[in-house]
Amino acid sequence: MRRIYLDNNATTPALPQVVAAMQPWWTERFGNASAVHSHGRDAREAVDHAREQVAALIGARPNEVTFTGSGTEADNQAIFGALSAGDHLITSSIEHHAVLHAAQEAERRGAELTVVDPDRDGVVSVDVIRSALRPNTKLISLMLANNETGVLQPVQQVSALAREHGALVHTDAVQCGGKLAIRVCDLGCDLLSLSAHKMHAPQGVGALWVRRGVPIRPLLFGGPHERQRRAGTENVPGIVAFGEAAALASTWVQERSAELRDKHQHFEDELLRRIAGASIQGGQVARLPNTTSVRFDGIDAEALVIAMDLRGVSLSGGSACTSGAVEPSHVLRAMGLSDAEARSAVRISMSRLTTAEEVEETLEVLVETVERLRRMA
Ligand code: PLP
């Protein structure tokens, strides 16, 4: 059976060019980027080149980019690096747990925390953030696009508000990297997280962009790597792969992203036309051009994910398995969906590798599977 992969917000396959770029850095070009001999200098040059490529993806200066071990680490670095005890942090209830759980830990360590809710469409409004501001608000962390719904957040406006107030803004752009054009100067934020495996590079590499002059304390202590910002021997193959993926993504975003946008739009139009009782979360607002969070009346998402998997299509449910119990998604709950509604939502996330044939086949299988599950219910 030919399998169709539509869970690209979870992770993406590495592109052949990316694998080819990283390959030599495990074998013949294996130096430690801190070493002074030529093996080391070679690795250092490769890391710096990758830094330029990642910086170019977001319109930043290379020396503002620090490589990390994941998007999660970049989020933690932004939060713990910016906040001290007594500082106030504002974040939203739809953030990834990499931000939410870090924010809760920062609160346990003495920071003040306000978690604001989105509206029914999944958008966190600037007004809600404005009303949460306090004189000691040091940081606002608001994601650029949500990983479950794809809904875009008003980071540019929040940054303008924060500037007036003297607060910093961090944005988790993990789901936007390689999907949308990002210019840090347009966004106006101070800190931005990326993750390589969401843009066709391997897992286990991320980056935090820190605007020049913004003081950030390190999360990890040890050697002087990454200009004292992140101790630990650099993952040279992973970083080289990230750089290559960023360069390919920059070109794709400029030249080819309209193709995915069209395929995705067609998929959603057909889905709503062919399946009664389907509704798309955030259907009326700006979203990523690859993400659909959809719920079907009378359908249990877990059953649908399993049935689709048996038919060769990988997608994901809007729930997380926490200590053996399936919890409804915190994002959908925050948007005001009931537990039952949240439990009927699935996420379908395409990539630039998704073909028109796969879109048509998925629609066929989805229509049949939803009908069959409804008959059985
Ligand atoms: N932030 C968002 C919005 C994500 O979707 C993810 C991963 O799913 C992360 C952060 C964490 O990134 P990583 O898997 O690289 O730790």
Side-chain angles (χ1 to χ4, degrees):
M1 179 169 49
R2 195 169 62 95
R3 293 206 60 92
I4 299 177
Y5 181 73
L6 292 176
D7 194 15
N8 288 281
N9 284 12
T11 198
T12 55
L15 294 170
Q17 301 95 308
V18 169
V19 175
M22 76 191 295
Q23 189 71 38
W25 299 97
W26 277 307
T27 49
E28 68 265 30
R29 303 173 81 181
F30 56 84
N32 182 321
S34 300
V36 292
H37 49 60
S38 71
H39 282 86
R41 290 199 309 276
D42 199 21
R44 161 69 40 220
E45 256 174 49
V47 168
D48 286 342
H49 179 57
R51 202 185 307 283
E52 286 166 16
Q53 292 170 310
V54 171
L57 179 71
I58 57 171
R61 299 181 189 91
N63 62 8
E64 296 171 325
V65 172
T66 300
F67 288 114
T68 63
S70 60
T72 298
E73 186 190 322
D75 286 342
N76 275 259
Q77 166 75 76
I79 288 169
F80 294 110
L83 288 177
S84 300
D87 289 338
H88 178 225
L89 165 66
I90 302 173
T91 191
S92 84
S93 51
I94 58 165
E95 299 298 314
H96 190 273
H97 285 140
V99 167
L100 266 182
H101 289 171
Q104 287 157 2
E105 177 60 21
E107 187 182 32
R108 282 190 285 273
R109 295 183 192 179
E112 295 172 24
L113 174 63
T114 305
V115 180
V116 297
D117 286 324
D119 61 18
R120 182 95 198 167
D121 287 321
V123 181
V124 177
S125 84
V126 184
D127 287 340
V128 169
I129 290 189
R130 184 180 290 110
S131 10
L133 284 169
R134 296 181 191 165
N136 61 338
T137 304
K138 177 79 185 288
L139 181 67
I140 302 169
S141 183
L142 179 64
M143 66 199 326
L144 199 47
N146 182 264
N147 44 300
E148 291 188 31
T149 62
V151 170
L152 302 180
Q153 304 299 324
V155 171
Q156 196 173 10
Q157 293 91 314
V158 167
S159 299
L161 172 72
R163 211 170 310 121
E164 281 170 25
H165 196 80
L168 298 172
V169 171
H170 164 244
T171 190
D172 175 339
V174 163
Q175 288 295 344
C176 292
K179 293 179 190 149
L180 289 182
I182 302 177
R183 312 303 308 154
V184 285
C185 54
D186 294 343
L187 285 175
C189 56
D190 303 283
L191 303 145
L192 180 143
S193 307
L194 293 171
S195 176
H197 75 101
K198 310 291 185 179
M199 55 171 104
H200 302 284
Q203 294 151 359
V205 194
L208 180 67
W209 168 78
V210 183
R211 179 185 295 289
R212 187 154 69 184
V214 170
I216 284 288
R217 290 186 309 276
L219 199 59
L220 301 181
F221 294 87
H225 311 90
E226 293 295 282
R227 274 177 254 98
Q228 321 259 11
R229 290 185 192 150
R230 198 268 185 184
T233 302
E234 290 89 345
N235 168 5
V236 179
I239 289 171
V240 167
F242 192 7
E244 182 67 17
L248 292 168
S250 299
T251 312
W252 180 85
V253 165
Q254 278 170 32
E255 296 173 7
R256 306 279 302 276
S257 53
E259 291 169 22
L260 176 59
R261 194 174 284 278
D262 291 349
K263 261 180 238 165
H264 182 242
Q265 188 60 54
H266 166 75
F267 174 75
E268 291 197 346
D269 292 346
E270 283 298 299
L271 185 76
L272 295 175
R273 192 179 67 76
R274 290 163 63 176
I275 306 181
S279 41
I280 292 175
Q281 273 72 244
Q284 305 306 318
V285 294
R287 277 177 297 131
L288 289 173
N290 80 316
T291 308
T292 305
S293 166
V294 58
R295 65 180 200 279
F296 302 99
D297 292 346
I299 292 286
D300 173 57
E302 287 302 305
L304 181 56
V305 169
I306 292 166
M308 291 295 288
D309 188 41
L310 292 172
R311 297 284 309 267
V313 183
S314 296
L315 38 88
S316 82
S319 319
C321 190
T322 322
S323 36
V326 177
E327 293 289 329
S329 138
H330 71 279
V331 173
L332 303 183
R333 292 291 289 117
M335 288 167 65
L337 271 67
S338 66
D339 277 6
E341 286 171 327
R343 284 203 169 93
S344 68
V346 294
R347 179 183 70 183
I348 299 162
S349 50
M350 302 181 180
S351 82
R352 71 186 93 149
L353 301 178
T354 306
T355 64
E357 293 70 36
E358 288 177 328
V359 169
E360 294 310 326
E361 205 174 318
T362 301
L363 281 165
E364 291 294 322
V365 176
L366 200 53
V367 169
E368 282 169 29
T369 308
V370 169
E371 267 173 23
R372 189 165 55 80
L373 291 176
R374 278 184 176 154
R375 272 199 312 273
M376 283 163 59

